[in-house]
Amino acid sequence: MKRKIYDKLIQWKQQDGATALLIQGARRVGKSYITEEFARNEYHSYIKIDFNDISSDNLQLILDNLHDRDRLFSYLQVNYNTKLYPRESLILLDEIQECPQVRAAIKYLVADHRYDYIETGSLMSIRKNTEGIVLPSEEERIEMNPMDFEEFLWASGEEILAQLISDAYATLNPLPQAFHRKAMQIFKEYMVIGGMPQVINSYLKNRNFNDADHAKNMILDLYRADIAKHAGRYTFKVESIFDAIPAQLSRHEKKFILAALDEQARMKDYIEPFTWLKDAKFVNLCFNSSEPSLGLGINQDRTTLKCYMGDTGLLYAMAFNNLEEKNEVYRKIIMGKLDLNEGMFMENMVAQMLVANHHQLFFFSNPDRNDKESRMKLDFLLPKNNITSKHNINFIEVKSGKRYQLASLQKAMKKYAEQMNKAIVLHPDNLQLIDGITYLPLYMAPWL
């Protein structure tokens, strides 16, 4: 499957071994697959060391010879029956979080400069996996996320449609209505399937949603096993948050209400469990900013947040875990023939695609009970690319239906005119510009 991250791997290789590359992301986002594909295509030879599946003897051999590189590389070539060529070979260190000592030694391997190194791992930021080591400054880090909608189109054989959507967004010209309907149907199919490559592959083989959900549930089982193994003293709270995500997102404002978990719960006792889930890449956290202005981080209110699933397909699996047969249900969802709170799924998907495009997530909510004109909420706040003295923030609303109100957005446009760059509504209809608002079809979110 074609992935956008491949271009970043090419750019890194052009640095000629100046750093090791660390690719971090959630379980099953395709880290191992894409790095092996890259190694096969771009190097004369490569060795893959999987620290999640290595014998104790081989691991000890590596650890004993980390500082005797000549001997280490000789042993690796014998053990993996692969000849290494200076400046033409790559060593893949898969699931590196399982062996912090090797990660700490990256500094010396890079300085040796014989070979290139790519590390991959999940749970990389979890404290347990970094204790007792100095993280190497020679480590260049990039995030890998679930496949976005454009990548899903590529995997589905719709490269031409993907290019048409990209061109339409760039020129702000709507797609012909027949193409719009097709793009919107594929987008809803993508929402139900999600962006996990293993799930997409399972679905595309036979177009069977049951097969896709079986793959999703295997991933969710891995997530729960990781929580039980790695969350330590936060395990119960992390599990409680994780299992409550579908119900919390079904709320009107999507804000996470801790009282639903425990009447005595306070955010100061739960911020670490939320952060654990975010660091594990299981969820995307979106914090309230008290002002929709450039200093979103400065104005961040860490007591008020939304907790989105990192992959919307997994959210569907959690929401419909009581159903054995998914084919008919999911087809009705895609065709719009099932009475369902689609707003929670569409907002989750927009959050997922913004994160894939390297945006931090912020929303704006002012529940002022005394001043009606100040009472408003905006789903997402997004800084524009080129910062100027004013008009720096895009106000974004997500709408799942074709009939909706924009009272909050219109009030924000008036009150925060100097802060606003664009007012954007992501909705199921086609692209249009009306009264200073840019209406974009939901499938254009990856290009924001």
Side-chain angles (χ1 to χ4, degrees):
M1 292 181 178
K2 182 180 176 184
R3 300 299 302 269
K4 294 178 180 180
I5 198 173
Y6 198 97
D7 291 338
K8 294 182 179 178
L9 300 182
I10 293 291
Q11 292 171 10
W12 167 78
K13 185 176 187 294
Q14 291 169 351
Q15 298 175 15
D16 194 35
T19 61
L21 185 66
L22 171 65
I23 303 175
Q24 52 188 339
R27 298 277 195 197
R28 298 292 191 265
V29 294
K31 301 182 296 294
S32 299
Y33 172 86
I34 199 66
T35 51
E36 278 210 78
E37 186 76 5
F38 175 69
R40 278 191 292 268
N41 294 342
E42 309 298 336
Y43 286 86
H44 192 66
S45 70
Y46 74 95
I47 287 175
K48 177 184 175 182
I49 306 171
D50 184 350
F51 289 102
N52 206 31
D53 183 24
I54 187 172
S55 69
S56 57
D57 288 344
N58 281 345
L59 178 58
Q60 196 59 50
L61 182 148
I62 292 171
L63 295 178
D64 288 345
N65 292 282
L66 279 175
H67 299 287
D68 185 344
R69 257 75 67 188
D70 290 337
R71 182 175 292 179
L72 172 66
F73 297 140
S74 294
Y75 287 166
L76 288 178
Q77 291 177 88
V78 171
N79 267 355
Y80 291 91
N81 194 27
T82 300
K83 183 173 175 56
L84 294 172
Y85 302 87
R87 306 304 322 131
E88 295 182 34
S89 293
L90 174 67
I91 297 178
L92 298 175
L93 305 169
D94 201 27
E95 299 296 351
I96 190 68
Q97 78 280 354
E98 298 292 339
C99 192
Q101 303 99 306
V102 172
R103 187 180 178 193
I106 282 293
K107 172 185 180 72
Y108 308 104
L109 295 173
V110 169
D112 179 84
H113 201 62
R114 263 177 275 188
Y115 312 114
D116 285 351
Y117 302 90
I118 292 181
E119 308 159 88
T120 65
S122 51
L123 308 174
M124 293 302 302
S125 300
I126 303 305
R127 191 174 303 151
K128 177 182 176 181
N129 293 325
T130 57
E131 284 179 353
I133 68 168
V134 176
L135 298 183
S137 58
E138 294 77 8
E139 189 180 75
E140 182 178 337
R141 303 171 198 175
I142 58 175
E143 299 279 342
M144 189 170 185
N145 296 291
M147 294 171 70
D148 70 13
F149 181 55
E150 187 175 17
E151 291 172 321
F152 182 78
L153 286 170
W154 296 340
S156 302
E158 296 286 354
E159 295 91 343
I160 297 174
L161 180 59
Q163 188 59 54
L164 284 175
I165 295 171
S166 179
D167 294 344
Y169 176 80
T171 59
L172 289 181
N173 287 315
L175 289 179
Q177 200 60 27
F179 294 160
H180 164 72
R181 286 194 296 270
K182 179 179 181 179
M184 197 62 216
Q185 182 171 334
I186 298 175
F187 177 78
K188 293 185 78 172
E189 183 180 11
Y190 165 65
M191 277 209 316
V192 168
I193 297 300
M196 293 300 196
Q198 179 184 357
V199 177
I200 293 172
N201 191 46
S202 296
Y203 172 70
L204 291 178
K205 284 180 181 177
N206 301 304
R207 299 278 170 175
N208 187 294
F209 292 110
N210 290 326
D211 292 344
D213 260 44
H214 178 69
K216 290 184 211 172
N217 286 324
M218 290 177 64
I219 295 171
L220 289 170
D221 288 344
L222 277 176
Y223 283 9
R224 292 190 172 95
D226 281 338
I227 292 171
K229 181 178 179 181
H230 296 286
R233 62 191 178 96
Y234 298 123
T235 298
F236 177 75
K237 290 178 180 176
V238 171
E239 288 175 339
S240 298
I241 294 169
F242 187 72
D243 290 335
I245 290 172
Q248 292 283 338
L249 288 177
S250 69
R251 303 173 61 88
H252 175 64
E253 289 198 3
K254 315 290 190 299
K255 288 186 285 189
F256 202 103
I257 306 301
L258 285 175
L261 304 182
D262 180 351
E263 289 184 1
Q264 305 301 317
R266 297 293 180 270
M267 185 55 74
K268 65 182 179 66
D269 300 319
Y270 275 81
I271 194 63
E272 285 291 336
F274 274 114
T275 302
W276 192 98
L277 284 166
K278 179 177 181 292
D279 286 348
K281 315 299 179 188
F282 295 174
V283 306
N284 294 318
L285 298 183
C286 182
F287 288 96
N288 185 29
S289 186
S290 57
E291 285 289 331
S293 56
L294 190 57
L296 295 175
I298 297 172
N299 298 320
Q300 177 178 282
D301 173 10
R302 291 183 66 82
T303 66
T304 309
L305 58 80
K306 300 178 187 180
C307 184
Y308 299 107
M309 277 296 293
D311 179 74
T312 308
L314 298 182
L315 177 62
Y316 270 100
M318 293 174 73
F320 292 96
N321 66 350
N322 60 315
L323 299 178
E324 294 265 340
E325 171 57 47
K326 304 292 177 66
N327 277 307
E328 191 61 27
V329 172
Y330 284 166
R331 286 194 180 99
K332 285 183 177 179
I333 291 172
I334 291 168
M335 300 305 295
K337 295 181 178 180
L338 190 67
D339 186 17
L340 177 72
N341 176 9
E342 283 194 297
M344 62 181 278
F345 298 105
M346 289 186 175
E347 191 171 317
N348 195 95
M349 178 53 75
V350 171
Q352 177 181 332
M353 289 190 288
L354 292 178
V355 169
N357 222 0
H358 311 294
H359 295 297
Q360 285 186 277
L361 299 181
F362 293 95
F363 71 99
F364 176 63
S365 177
N366 184 348
D368 196 314
R369 296 183 179 180
N370 300 316
D371 184 358
K372 183 179 178 181
E373 290 306 307
S374 295
R375 189 164 61 243
M376 65 187 80
K377 67 179 187 67
L378 299 169
D379 292 330
F380 297 102
L381 302 173
L382 202 66
K384 69 180 184 183
N385 290 330
N386 301 312
I387 302 302
T388 54
S389 58
K390 56 184 178 179
H391 306 304
N392 286 307
I393 305 296
N394 295 315
F395 298 172
I396 299 176
E397 285 277 79
V398 180
K399 301 297 180 183
S400 59
K402 295 188 176 183
R403 305 175 76 176
Y404 49 80
Q405 296 181 338
L406 296 173
S408 284
L409 180 60
Q410 289 162 345
K411 285 191 285 187
M413 292 170 67
K414 182 178 179 181
K415 182 168 183 176
Y416 299 104
E418 290 202 351
Q419 287 88 345
M420 187 190 77
N421 177 49
K422 289 181 181 178
I424 298 172
V425 174
L426 292 165
H427 68 161
D429 279 339
N430 213 334
L431 188 153
Q432 51 189 327
L433 306 175
I434 303 175
D435 297 332
I437 299 175
T438 302
Y439 295 83
L440 296 177
L442 283 150
Y443 53 75
M444 288 189 177
W447 284 268
L448 287 172

